[in-house]
Amino acid sequence: MRAPSHAAAILLAAAMAFVCALPAAWARAPQAAEDLNPEAASGTRDRQLARAPHFMMVSANPLATQAGDEMLRRGGSVVDAAIATQLVLNLVEPQSSGIGGGAFMVLYSARTGRIQTYDSRETAPAAARQDRFLDAQGKPLPFAQAVNNGMSVGVPGLLRGLELAHKEHGALPWADLFQPAIRLAEQGFAVSPRLHALLAGNKALPAQPAAAAYFYAPGGAPWPVGHVLKNPEFARTLRAVAEGGADAFYQGGIARDIVAAVHGHAVPGDLSLADLAAYRAQERPPVCGGYRGYRLCGMGPPSSGPIAVLQMLGELEQFPIGSYAPGSVEAVHYFSEAGRLAFADRDFYVADPAYVPVPVSALLDPAYLRARGALIRPDRSMKVALPGDPEGKLLSLGKDDALELPSTSHLVAVDAQGNALSMTTTIESEFGSKIFVRGFLLNNEMTDFSSSYRDPEGRLVANRIEPGKRPRSAMAPMIVLRGDRPYLLVGSPGGSAIINYVAKTLVGVLDWGLDIQAAIALPNMGSRNKETELEKGTPLEALAPALERMGHPVRITEFPSGIHGIVIGPDGLQGGVDPRREGLAQGG
Ligand code: DON
């Protein structure tokens, strides 16, 4: 285990923490869809480390954090707090997550000492066909066409997952957890700067009549910042689920309206009542690995996120990253080379394990990762990494071409009993499919499948669309253990860039000894096995010439992460929120 931070690293990190406001950019450059940001940037704010002695809630919106904090103060568990927080997020941060989508929850139970993971990922409708997002010539549809389409909607999973976790770990009654969101939906909440900015920048949302009527003023202008927006329809939906459980969503009137909205879209989808009735959340084994004496656990397949993060760290472990300052050419070089190696594997191997055998242990084998990491040269970029072949099966698989343009939120919580929770939750793209029904938005998670089911060489892609299958995710909710106790909780939105956001934060705390706030604020960087990406408007931009001399193809880009984390230290809890979003850490 490393000694706490050295002064140089802290100074540099402080200098690199954001003080400048990034310009809002809505226009998307002509770049591959998977490299684009799922949600637009909306500037940054200076943030302080939060502290609390016993319990803490961190989420992307103050009203949502306060709902979770209210449950924790009443003796609720982390699951109670996460549910209350999530329901408010659905209302106040509707662009990112909600009951029309899905989530992955990672939980440390103080009672059993076990890590558990809950998968409430959306599933493909039973009628789904493998050519769902291909045009008449067999070419992938442009992203905007695939997303704003009834076919993008997968069977929502969130409420089933929350219900499953609550049955095992809830301390407060289910219906109580809905009260803060019902209250806010009825009384109204002030539209935040980020919500306003995203409404103003989105062209597809006002084109959907139900969404337009709620999110925009009668003349078509986005509701201004501070406008008190009420959502009585969502309050009625929440009341029904508070009283009837998740069944009230998956069967009956709400289910019928969801199906009607999907089928009523200009490009109708194929979601059915039977799909909704058949949806099941699943508890799965966590994936875990070691790094510098810590044990790190997260959600396994169908997520590729924690596997890729663990691969990056496993490949980096043989290099003295802790001795390179954050923001140095060396740190960016080694970090992005490890990203190349991990993304190369991710594109071939990870999909829904019920449909495709995923070689998780082989991909995380320390000897395999050491050998992969040894491919990193100290002075030259490999530019594009080839996938490894830990089980001799590579030739049978094709490369994924998922569009990966999502929208998402991450929350973390610790309760007074010592339980810990890390959950990433999503409706995929900004405002999901834009289909608004009963006061909430439906996801476009089907676009997380590979658009093509065979690669150009004719090999089947692991993450191809199949009926009932869960699309591969990059979401990486993680819990780091020190000994057998939770030490650090972390995760982020950001599409495939999530993997680099989470790995950066882990290196920031575990190698550079930064506090969680400083680690989150570090400029984002890394490679998704294409360019070496550096966050725009940060001191990293100045490294471009030196990196280019080493052969790195450099791209300067906005990186609107939403990293939220808690460190559980001997002196209590420390919480960090992403300066790029609007979150709040609060506890007691
Ligand atoms: O599951 C996934 O990987 C994506 N649907 C996550 C989307 C996301 O992070 C969007 N972020 N802003």
mmCIF file with all atom_site columns, all heavy atoms in Angstrom, residues 38-39 104 121 404-408 426 428 445 448 472-475 492-496 498 560 581, ligand 1:
data_model
loop_
_atom_site.group_PDB
_atom_site.id
_atom_site.type_symbol
_atom_site.label_atom_id
_atom_site.label_alt_id
_atom_site.label_comp_id
_atom_site.label_asym_id
_atom_site.label_entity_id
_atom_site.label_seq_id
_atom_site.pdbx_PDB_ins_code
_atom_site.Cartn_x
_atom_site.Cartn_y
_atom_site.Cartn_z
_atom_site.occupancy
_atom_site.B_iso_or_equiv
_atom_site.pdbx_formal_charge
_atom_site.auth_seq_id
_atom_site.auth_comp_id
_atom_site.auth_asym_id
_atom_site.auth_atom_id
_atom_site.pdbx_PDB_model_num
ATOM   1   N N   . PRO A 1 38  ? -21.873 11.336 -24.928 1.00 0.00 ? 38  PRO A N   1
ATOM   2   C CA  . PRO A 1 38  ? -23.270 10.985 -24.773 1.00 0.00 ? 38  PRO A CA  1
ATOM   3   C C   . PRO A 1 38  ? -24.111 12.175 -24.346 1.00 0.00 ? 38  PRO A C   1
ATOM   4   O O   . PRO A 1 38  ? -25.211 12.382 -24.834 1.00 0.00 ? 38  PRO A O   1
ATOM   5   C CB  . PRO A 1 38  ? -23.262 9.967  -23.657 1.00 0.00 ? 38  PRO A CB  1
ATOM   6   C CG  . PRO A 1 38  ? -21.854 9.574  -23.453 1.00 0.00 ? 38  PRO A CG  1
ATOM   7   C CD  . PRO A 1 38  ? -20.988 10.630 -24.056 1.00 0.00 ? 38  PRO A CD  1
ATOM   8   N N   . GLU A 1 39  ? -23.597 12.919 -23.408 1.00 0.00 ? 39  GLU A N   1
ATOM   9   C CA  . GLU A 1 39  ? -24.294 14.121 -22.944 1.00 0.00 ? 39  GLU A CA  1
ATOM   10  C C   . GLU A 1 39  ? -23.364 15.285 -23.167 1.00 0.00 ? 39  GLU A C   1
ATOM   11  O O   . GLU A 1 39  ? -22.174 15.181 -22.928 1.00 0.00 ? 39  GLU A O   1
ATOM   12  C CB  . GLU A 1 39  ? -24.582 14.028 -21.444 1.00 0.00 ? 39  GLU A CB  1
ATOM   13  C CG  . GLU A 1 39  ? -25.800 13.234 -21.105 1.00 0.00 ? 39  GLU A CG  1
ATOM   14  C CD  . GLU A 1 39  ? -26.104 13.286 -19.621 1.00 0.00 ? 39  GLU A CD  1
ATOM   15  O OE1 . GLU A 1 39  ? -26.141 14.381 -19.049 1.00 0.00 ? 39  GLU A OE1 1
ATOM   16  O OE2 . GLU A 1 39  ? -26.285 12.206 -19.043 1.00 0.00 ? 39  GLU A OE2 1
ATOM   17  N N   . PHE A 1 104 ? -26.789 -0.696 -13.005 1.00 0.00 ? 104 PHE A N   1
ATOM   18  C CA  . PHE A 1 104 ? -25.990 -1.723 -12.331 1.00 0.00 ? 104 PHE A CA  1
ATOM   19  C C   . PHE A 1 104 ? -25.666 -1.209 -10.929 1.00 0.00 ? 104 PHE A C   1
ATOM   20  O O   . PHE A 1 104 ? -25.143 -0.106 -10.771 1.00 0.00 ? 104 PHE A O   1
ATOM   21  C CB  . PHE A 1 104 ? -24.670 -1.976 -13.058 1.00 0.00 ? 104 PHE A CB  1
ATOM   22  C CG  . PHE A 1 104 ? -24.827 -2.564 -14.432 1.00 0.00 ? 104 PHE A CG  1
ATOM   23  C CD1 . PHE A 1 104 ? -24.136 -2.015 -15.503 1.00 0.00 ? 104 PHE A CD1 1
ATOM   24  C CD2 . PHE A 1 104 ? -25.634 -3.665 -14.667 1.00 0.00 ? 104 PHE A CD2 1
ATOM   25  C CE1 . PHE A 1 104 ? -24.246 -2.550 -16.771 1.00 0.00 ? 104 PHE A CE1 1
ATOM   26  C CE2 . PHE A 1 104 ? -25.759 -4.216 -15.937 1.00 0.00 ? 104 PHE A CE2 1
ATOM   27  C CZ  . PHE A 1 104 ? -25.059 -3.643 -16.996 1.00 0.00 ? 104 PHE A CZ  1
ATOM   28  N N   . ARG A 1 121 ? -30.209 -4.271 -16.196 1.00 0.00 ? 121 ARG A N   1
ATOM   29  C CA  . ARG A 1 121 ? -29.977 -3.832 -17.571 1.00 0.00 ? 121 ARG A CA  1
ATOM   30  C C   . ARG A 1 121 ? -31.210 -4.132 -18.430 1.00 0.00 ? 121 ARG A C   1
ATOM   31  O O   . ARG A 1 121 ? -31.863 -5.166 -18.248 1.00 0.00 ? 121 ARG A O   1
ATOM   32  C CB  . ARG A 1 121 ? -28.782 -4.613 -18.121 1.00 0.00 ? 121 ARG A CB  1
ATOM   33  C CG  . ARG A 1 121 ? -28.329 -4.242 -19.522 1.00 0.00 ? 121 ARG A CG  1
ATOM   34  C CD  . ARG A 1 121 ? -27.647 -2.922 -19.528 1.00 0.00 ? 121 ARG A CD  1
ATOM   35  N NE  . ARG A 1 121 ? -26.873 -2.685 -20.741 1.00 0.00 ? 121 ARG A NE  1
ATOM   36  C CZ  . ARG A 1 121 ? -26.421 -1.477 -21.071 1.00 0.00 ? 121 ARG A CZ  1
ATOM   37  N NH1 . ARG A 1 121 ? -26.639 -0.435 -20.283 1.00 0.00 ? 121 ARG A NH1 1
ATOM   38  N NH2 . ARG A 1 121 ? -25.712 -1.315 -22.161 1.00 0.00 ? 121 ARG A NH2 1
ATOM   39  N N   . GLU A 1 404 ? -22.666 3.492  -29.122 1.00 0.00 ? 404 GLU A N   1
ATOM   40  C CA  . GLU A 1 404 ? -22.214 4.005  -27.826 1.00 0.00 ? 404 GLU A CA  1
ATOM   41  C C   . GLU A 1 404 ? -22.267 5.512  -27.656 1.00 0.00 ? 404 GLU A C   1
ATOM   42  O O   . GLU A 1 404 ? -21.259 6.184  -27.534 1.00 0.00 ? 404 GLU A O   1
ATOM   43  C CB  . GLU A 1 404 ? -20.781 3.543  -27.560 1.00 0.00 ? 404 GLU A CB  1
ATOM   44  C CG  . GLU A 1 404 ? -20.731 2.059  -27.392 1.00 0.00 ? 404 GLU A CG  1
ATOM   45  C CD  . GLU A 1 404 ? -19.456 1.629  -26.738 1.00 0.00 ? 404 GLU A CD  1
ATOM   46  O OE1 . GLU A 1 404 ? -18.439 1.515  -27.426 1.00 0.00 ? 404 GLU A OE1 1
ATOM   47  O OE2 . GLU A 1 404 ? -19.479 1.440  -25.521 1.00 0.00 ? 404 GLU A OE2 1
ATOM   48  N N   . LEU A 1 405 ? -23.446 6.046  -27.663 1.00 0.00 ? 405 LEU A N   1
ATOM   49  C CA  . LEU A 1 405 ? -23.609 7.475  -27.380 1.00 0.00 ? 405 LEU A CA  1
ATOM   50  C C   . LEU A 1 405 ? -24.635 7.633  -26.280 1.00 0.00 ? 405 LEU A C   1
ATOM   51  O O   . LEU A 1 405 ? -25.793 7.902  -26.552 1.00 0.00 ? 405 LEU A O   1
ATOM   52  C CB  . LEU A 1 405 ? -24.135 8.169  -28.630 1.00 0.00 ? 405 LEU A CB  1
ATOM   53  C CG  . LEU A 1 405 ? -23.132 8.972  -29.406 1.00 0.00 ? 405 LEU A CG  1
ATOM   54  C CD1 . LEU A 1 405 ? -23.827 9.769  -30.474 1.00 0.00 ? 405 LEU A CD1 1
ATOM   55  C CD2 . LEU A 1 405 ? -22.353 9.896  -28.507 1.00 0.00 ? 405 LEU A CD2 1
ATOM   56  N N   . PRO A 1 406 ? -24.271 7.443  -25.050 1.00 0.00 ? 406 PRO A N   1
ATOM   57  C CA  . PRO A 1 406 ? -25.288 7.328  -24.012 1.00 0.00 ? 406 PRO A CA  1
ATOM   58  C C   . PRO A 1 406 ? -25.487 8.548  -23.116 1.00 0.00 ? 406 PRO A C   1
ATOM   59  O O   . PRO A 1 406 ? -24.929 9.599  -23.342 1.00 0.00 ? 406 PRO A O   1
ATOM   60  C CB  . PRO A 1 406 ? -24.756 6.171  -23.190 1.00 0.00 ? 406 PRO A CB  1
ATOM   61  C CG  . PRO A 1 406 ? -23.340 5.969  -23.651 1.00 0.00 ? 406 PRO A CG  1
ATOM   62  C CD  . PRO A 1 406 ? -22.994 7.069  -24.560 1.00 0.00 ? 406 PRO A CD  1
ATOM   63  N N   . SER A 1 407 ? -26.274 8.383  -22.052 1.00 0.00 ? 407 SER A N   1
ATOM   64  C CA  . SER A 1 407 ? -26.578 9.426  -21.074 1.00 0.00 ? 407 SER A CA  1
ATOM   65  C C   . SER A 1 407 ? -26.899 8.759  -19.747 1.00 0.00 ? 407 SER A C   1
ATOM   66  O O   . SER A 1 407 ? -27.692 7.843  -19.727 1.00 0.00 ? 407 SER A O   1
ATOM   67  C CB  . SER A 1 407 ? -27.781 10.208 -21.556 1.00 0.00 ? 407 SER A CB  1
ATOM   68  O OG  . SER A 1 407 ? -28.394 10.820 -20.466 1.00 0.00 ? 407 SER A OG  1
ATOM   69  N N   . THR A 1 408 ? -26.304 9.222  -18.691 1.00 0.00 ? 408 THR A N   1
ATOM   70  C CA  . THR A 1 408 ? -26.204 8.355  -17.533 1.00 0.00 ? 408 THR A CA  1
ATOM   71  C C   . THR A 1 408 ? -25.894 9.147  -16.279 1.00 0.00 ? 408 THR A C   1
ATOM   72  O O   . THR A 1 408 ? -25.525 10.303 -16.354 1.00 0.00 ? 408 THR A O   1
ATOM   73  C CB  . THR A 1 408 ? -25.074 7.335  -17.818 1.00 0.00 ? 408 THR A CB  1
ATOM   74  O OG1 . THR A 1 408 ? -25.422 6.631  -18.985 1.00 0.00 ? 408 THR A OG1 1
ATOM   75  C CG2 . THR A 1 408 ? -24.818 6.379  -16.710 1.00 0.00 ? 408 THR A CG2 1
ATOM   76  N N   . THR A 1 426 ? -28.901 4.552  -16.179 1.00 0.00 ? 426 THR A N   1
ATOM   77  C CA  . THR A 1 426 ? -28.874 5.158  -17.512 1.00 0.00 ? 426 THR A CA  1
ATOM   78  C C   . THR A 1 426 ? -30.172 4.993  -18.286 1.00 0.00 ? 426 THR A C   1
ATOM   79  O O   . THR A 1 426 ? -30.885 4.004  -18.100 1.00 0.00 ? 426 THR A O   1
ATOM   80  C CB  . THR A 1 426 ? -27.725 4.523  -18.342 1.00 0.00 ? 426 THR A CB  1
ATOM   81  O OG1 . THR A 1 426 ? -27.617 5.203  -19.585 1.00 0.00 ? 426 THR A OG1 1
ATOM   82  C CG2 . THR A 1 426 ? -27.946 3.048  -18.602 1.00 0.00 ? 426 THR A CG2 1
ATOM   83  N N   . GLU A 1 428 ? -29.353 5.685  -21.527 1.00 0.00 ? 428 GLU A N   1
ATOM   84  C CA  . GLU A 1 428 ? -28.461 5.643  -22.683 1.00 0.00 ? 428 GLU A CA  1
ATOM   85  C C   . GLU A 1 428 ? -28.158 7.034  -23.220 1.00 0.00 ? 428 GLU A C   1
ATOM   86  O O   . GLU A 1 428 ? -27.368 7.726  -22.640 1.00 0.00 ? 428 GLU A O   1
ATOM   87  C CB  . GLU A 1 428 ? -29.017 4.740  -23.791 1.00 0.00 ? 428 GLU A CB  1
ATOM   88  C CG  . GLU A 1 428 ? -27.981 3.834  -24.419 1.00 0.00 ? 428 GLU A CG  1
ATOM   89  C CD  . GLU A 1 428 ? -26.832 4.532  -25.081 1.00 0.00 ? 428 GLU A CD  1
ATOM   90  O OE1 . GLU A 1 428 ? -26.968 5.067  -26.184 1.00 0.00 ? 428 GLU A OE1 1
ATOM   91  O OE2 . GLU A 1 428 ? -25.748 4.496  -24.473 1.00 0.00 ? 428 GLU A OE2 1
ATOM   92  N N   . GLU A 1 445 ? -31.518 1.987  -25.101 1.00 0.00 ? 445 GLU A N   1
ATOM   93  C CA  . GLU A 1 445 ? -30.381 1.098  -24.791 1.00 0.00 ? 445 GLU A CA  1
ATOM   94  C C   . GLU A 1 445 ? -30.074 0.086  -25.896 1.00 0.00 ? 445 GLU A C   1
ATOM   95  O O   . GLU A 1 445 ? -28.973 -0.473 -25.948 1.00 0.00 ? 445 GLU A O   1
ATOM   96  C CB  . GLU A 1 445 ? -30.655 0.362  -23.473 1.00 0.00 ? 445 GLU A CB  1
ATOM   97  C CG  . GLU A 1 445 ? -29.425 0.183  -22.611 1.00 0.00 ? 445 GLU A CG  1
ATOM   98  C CD  . GLU A 1 445 ? -28.967 1.485  -21.973 1.00 0.00 ? 445 GLU A CD  1
ATOM   99  O OE1 . GLU A 1 445 ? -29.795 2.213  -21.407 1.00 0.00 ? 445 GLU A OE1 1
ATOM   100 O OE2 . GLU A 1 445 ? -27.763 1.782  -22.052 1.00 0.00 ? 445 GLU A OE2 1
ATOM   101 N N   . ASP A 1 448 ? -26.823 0.114  -27.719 1.00 0.00 ? 448 ASP A N   1
ATOM   102 C CA  . ASP A 1 448 ? -25.562 -0.363 -27.124 1.00 0.00 ? 448 ASP A CA  1
ATOM   103 C C   . ASP A 1 448 ? -25.164 -1.740 -27.681 1.00 0.00 ? 448 ASP A C   1
ATOM   104 O O   . ASP A 1 448 ? -24.078 -2.233 -27.402 1.00 0.00 ? 448 ASP A O   1
ATOM   105 C CB  . ASP A 1 448 ? -25.659 -0.440 -25.594 1.00 0.00 ? 448 ASP A CB  1
ATOM   106 C CG  . ASP A 1 448 ? -25.221 0.863  -24.929 1.00 0.00 ? 448 ASP A CG  1
ATOM   107 O OD1 . ASP A 1 448 ? -24.878 1.821  -25.654 1.00 0.00 ? 448 ASP A OD1 1
ATOM   108 O OD2 . ASP A 1 448 ? -25.217 0.933  -23.684 1.00 0.00 ? 448 ASP A OD2 1
ATOM   109 N N   . ARG A 1 472 ? -24.264 -5.010 -24.269 1.00 0.00 ? 472 ARG A N   1
ATOM   110 C CA  . ARG A 1 472 ? -23.024 -4.755 -23.524 1.00 0.00 ? 472 ARG A CA  1
ATOM   111 C C   . ARG A 1 472 ? -23.000 -3.305 -23.052 1.00 0.00 ? 472 ARG A C   1
ATOM   112 O O   . ARG A 1 472 ? -23.438 -2.404 -23.756 1.00 0.00 ? 472 ARG A O   1
ATOM   113 C CB  . ARG A 1 472 ? -21.819 -4.995 -24.440 1.00 0.00 ? 472 ARG A CB  1
ATOM   114 C CG  . ARG A 1 472 ? -20.494 -4.752 -23.740 1.00 0.00 ? 472 ARG A CG  1
ATOM   115 C CD  . ARG A 1 472 ? -19.368 -4.595 -24.736 1.00 0.00 ? 472 ARG A CD  1
ATOM   116 N NE  . ARG A 1 472 ? -19.568 -3.426 -25.586 1.00 0.00 ? 472 ARG A NE  1
ATOM   117 C CZ  . ARG A 1 472 ? -18.749 -3.052 -26.550 1.00 0.00 ? 472 ARG A CZ  1
ATOM   118 N NH1 . ARG A 1 472 ? -17.676 -3.762 -26.808 1.00 0.00 ? 472 ARG A NH1 1
ATOM   119 N NH2 . ARG A 1 472 ? -18.998 -1.981 -27.274 1.00 0.00 ? 472 ARG A NH2 1
ATOM   120 N N   . SER A 1 473 ? -22.460 -3.107 -21.877 1.00 0.00 ? 473 SER A N   1
ATOM   121 C CA  . SER A 1 473 ? -22.368 -1.772 -21.291 1.00 0.00 ? 473 SER A CA  1
ATOM   122 C C   . SER A 1 473 ? -20.912 -1.439 -20.998 1.00 0.00 ? 473 SER A C   1
ATOM   123 O O   . SER A 1 473 ? -20.062 -2.330 -20.929 1.00 0.00 ? 473 SER A O   1
ATOM   124 C CB  . SER A 1 473 ? -23.169 -1.753 -19.994 1.00 0.00 ? 473 SER A CB  1
ATOM   125 O OG  . SER A 1 473 ? -22.979 -0.545 -19.299 1.00 0.00 ? 473 SER A OG  1
ATOM   126 N N   . ALA A 1 474 ? -20.657 -0.130 -20.820 1.00 0.00 ? 474 ALA A N   1
ATOM   127 C CA  . ALA A 1 474 ? -19.343 0.307  -20.337 1.00 0.00 ? 474 ALA A CA  1
ATOM   128 C C   . ALA A 1 474 ? -19.433 0.798  -18.897 1.00 0.00 ? 474 ALA A C   1
ATOM   129 O O   . ALA A 1 474 ? -18.433 1.204  -18.315 1.00 0.00 ? 474 ALA A O   1
ATOM   130 C CB  . ALA A 1 474 ? -18.815 1.440  -21.210 1.00 0.00 ? 474 ALA A CB  1
ATOM   131 N N   . MET A 1 475 ? -20.625 0.757  -18.329 1.00 0.00 ? 475 MET A N   1
ATOM   132 C CA  . MET A 1 475 ? -20.789 1.328  -16.987 1.00 0.00 ? 475 MET A CA  1
ATOM   133 C C   . MET A 1 475 ? -19.929 0.549  -15.988 1.00 0.00 ? 475 MET A C   1
ATOM   134 O O   . MET A 1 475 ? -19.889 -0.673 -16.015 1.00 0.00 ? 475 MET A O   1
ATOM   135 C CB  . MET A 1 475 ? -22.260 1.304  -16.582 1.00 0.00 ? 475 MET A CB  1
ATOM   136 C CG  . MET A 1 475 ? -23.108 2.208  -17.473 1.00 0.00 ? 475 MET A CG  1
ATOM   137 S SD  . MET A 1 475 ? -24.775 2.501  -16.861 1.00 0.00 ? 475 MET A SD  1
ATOM   138 C CE  . MET A 1 475 ? -25.542 0.913  -17.086 1.00 0.00 ? 475 MET A CE  1
ATOM   139 N N   . SER A 1 492 ? -18.984 6.482  -13.004 1.00 0.00 ? 492 SER A N   1
ATOM   140 C CA  . SER A 1 492 ? -19.248 7.687  -13.805 1.00 0.00 ? 492 SER A CA  1
ATOM   141 C C   . SER A 1 492 ? -20.149 7.360  -14.986 1.00 0.00 ? 492 SER A C   1
ATOM   142 O O   . SER A 1 492 ? -20.153 6.231  -15.456 1.00 0.00 ? 492 SER A O   1
ATOM   143 C CB  . SER A 1 492 ? -17.942 8.260  -14.351 1.00 0.00 ? 492 SER A CB  1
ATOM   144 O OG  . SER A 1 492 ? -18.190 9.414  -15.138 1.00 0.00 ? 492 SER A OG  1
ATOM   145 N N   . PRO A 1 493 ? -20.864 8.363  -15.506 1.00 0.00 ? 493 PRO A N   1
ATOM   146 C CA  . PRO A 1 493 ? -21.411 8.267  -16.858 1.00 0.00 ? 493 PRO A CA  1
ATOM   147 C C   . PRO A 1 493 ? -20.323 8.576  -17.879 1.00 0.00 ? 493 PRO A C   1
ATOM   148 O O   . PRO A 1 493 ? -19.204 8.927  -17.503 1.00 0.00 ? 493 PRO A O   1
ATOM   149 C CB  . PRO A 1 493 ? -22.488 9.352  -16.870 1.00 0.00 ? 493 PRO A CB  1
ATOM   150 C CG  . PRO A 1 493 ? -22.026 10.364 -15.883 1.00 0.00 ? 493 PRO A CG  1
ATOM   151 C CD  . PRO A 1 493 ? -21.239 9.617  -14.839 1.00 0.00 ? 493 PRO A CD  1
ATOM   152 N N   . GLY A 1 494 ? -20.682 8.495  -19.156 1.00 0.00 ? 494 GLY A N   1
ATOM   153 C CA  . GLY A 1 494 ? -19.749 8.940  -20.188 1.00 0.00 ? 494 GLY A CA  1
ATOM   154 C C   . GLY A 1 494 ? -19.571 7.979  -21.348 1.00 0.00 ? 494 GLY A C   1
ATOM   155 O O   . GLY A 1 494 ? -18.606 8.093  -22.098 1.00 0.00 ? 494 GLY A O   1
ATOM   156 N N   . GLY A 1 495 ? -20.478 7.017  -21.498 1.00 0.00 ? 495 GLY A N   1
ATOM   157 C CA  . GLY A 1 495 ? -20.331 6.065  -22.596 1.00 0.00 ? 495 GLY A CA  1
ATOM   158 C C   . GLY A 1 495 ? -19.055 5.265  -22.411 1.00 0.00 ? 495 GLY A C   1
ATOM   159 O O   . GLY A 1 495 ? -18.634 4.980  -21.293 1.00 0.00 ? 495 GLY A O   1
ATOM   160 N N   . SER A 1 496 ? -18.386 4.945  -23.508 1.00 0.00 ? 496 SER A N   1
ATOM   161 C CA  . SER A 1 496 ? -17.190 4.110  -23.377 1.00 0.00 ? 496 SER A CA  1
ATOM   162 C C   . SER A 1 496 ? -16.060 4.845  -22.640 1.00 0.00 ? 496 SER A C   1
ATOM   163 O O   . SER A 1 496 ? -15.160 4.209  -22.081 1.00 0.00 ? 496 SER A O   1
ATOM   164 C CB  . SER A 1 496 ? -16.711 3.622  -24.739 1.00 0.00 ? 496 SER A CB  1
ATOM   165 O OG  . SER A 1 496 ? -16.439 4.728  -25.577 1.00 0.00 ? 496 SER A OG  1
ATOM   166 N N   . ILE A 1 498 ? -16.300 6.117  -19.882 1.00 0.00 ? 498 ILE A N   1
ATOM   167 C CA  . ILE A 1 498 ? -16.442 5.790  -18.457 1.00 0.00 ? 498 ILE A CA  1
ATOM   168 C C   . ILE A 1 498 ? -15.214 5.037  -17.961 1.00 0.00 ? 498 ILE A C   1
ATOM   169 O O   . ILE A 1 498 ? -14.719 5.263  -16.853 1.00 0.00 ? 498 ILE A O   1
ATOM   170 C CB  . ILE A 1 498 ? -17.687 4.893  -18.234 1.00 0.00 ? 498 ILE A CB  1
ATOM   171 C CG1 . ILE A 1 498 ? -18.976 5.682  -18.431 1.00 0.00 ? 498 ILE A CG1 1
ATOM   172 C CG2 . ILE A 1 498 ? -17.655 4.238  -16.850 1.00 0.00 ? 498 ILE A CG2 1
ATOM   173 C CD1 . ILE A 1 498 ? -20.235 4.813  -18.413 1.00 0.00 ? 498 ILE A CD1 1
ATOM   174 N N   . PRO A 1 560 ? -17.285 15.436 -20.689 1.00 0.00 ? 560 PRO A N   1
ATOM   175 C CA  . PRO A 1 560 ? -18.215 15.731 -19.591 1.00 0.00 ? 560 PRO A CA  1
ATOM   176 C C   . PRO A 1 560 ? -18.519 14.503 -18.732 1.00 0.00 ? 560 PRO A C   1
ATOM   177 O O   . PRO A 1 560 ? -19.605 13.935 -18.783 1.00 0.00 ? 560 PRO A O   1
ATOM   178 C CB  . PRO A 1 560 ? -19.459 16.241 -20.319 1.00 0.00 ? 560 PRO A CB  1
ATOM   179 C CG  . PRO A 1 560 ? -19.395 15.600 -21.666 1.00 0.00 ? 560 PRO A CG  1
ATOM   180 C CD  . PRO A 1 560 ? -17.953 15.366 -21.991 1.00 0.00 ? 560 PRO A CD  1
ATOM   181 N N   . ARG A 1 581 ? -20.359 18.505 -13.515 1.00 0.00 ? 581 ARG A N   1
ATOM   182 C CA  . ARG A 1 581 ? -21.822 18.354 -13.410 1.00 0.00 ? 581 ARG A CA  1
ATOM   183 C C   . ARG A 1 581 ? -22.338 19.165 -12.222 1.00 0.00 ? 581 ARG A C   1
ATOM   184 O O   . ARG A 1 581 ? -21.654 20.039 -11.724 1.00 0.00 ? 581 ARG A O   1
ATOM   185 C CB  . ARG A 1 581 ? -22.171 16.872 -13.298 1.00 0.00 ? 581 ARG A CB  1
ATOM   186 C CG  . ARG A 1 581 ? -21.863 16.132 -14.599 1.00 0.00 ? 581 ARG A CG  1
ATOM   187 C CD  . ARG A 1 581 ? -23.008 15.249 -15.001 1.00 0.00 ? 581 ARG A CD  1
ATOM   188 N NE  . ARG A 1 581 ? -22.673 14.529 -16.208 1.00 0.00 ? 581 ARG A NE  1
ATOM   189 C CZ  . ARG A 1 581 ? -23.438 13.595 -16.750 1.00 0.00 ? 581 ARG A CZ  1
ATOM   190 N NH1 . ARG A 1 581 ? -24.565 13.259 -16.195 1.00 0.00 ? 581 ARG A NH1 1
ATOM   191 N NH2 . ARG A 1 581 ? -23.091 13.004 -17.858 1.00 0.00 ? 581 ARG A NH2 1
HETATM 192 O O1  . DON B 2 .   ? -24.292 1.164  -20.686 1.00 0.00 ? 1   DON B O1  1
HETATM 193 C C1  . DON B 2 .   ? -23.558 1.932  -21.282 1.00 0.00 ? 1   DON B C1  1
HETATM 194 O O2  . DON B 2 .   ? -22.380 1.731  -21.484 1.00 0.00 ? 1   DON B O2  1
HETATM 195 C C2  . DON B 2 .   ? -24.120 3.233  -21.777 1.00 0.00 ? 1   DON B C2  1
HETATM 196 N N1  . DON B 2 .   ? -25.505 3.126  -22.080 1.00 0.00 ? 1   DON B N1  1
HETATM 197 C C3  . DON B 2 .   ? -23.812 4.283  -20.762 1.00 0.00 ? 1   DON B C3  1
HETATM 198 C C4  . DON B 2 .   ? -24.240 5.637  -21.190 1.00 0.00 ? 1   DON B C4  1
HETATM 199 C C5  . DON B 2 .   ? -23.519 6.776  -20.598 1.00 0.00 ? 1   DON B C5  1
HETATM 200 O O3  . DON B 2 .   ? -22.647 6.647  -19.848 1.00 0.00 ? 1   DON B O3  1
HETATM 201 C C6  . DON B 2 .   ? -23.917 8.147  -21.011 1.00 0.00 ? 1   DON B C6  1
HETATM 202 N N2  . DON B 2 .   ? -23.187 9.187  -20.371 1.00 0.00 ? 1   DON B N2  1
HETATM 203 N N3  . DON B 2 .   ? -23.291 10.341 -20.370 1.00 0.00 ? 1   DON B N3  1
#
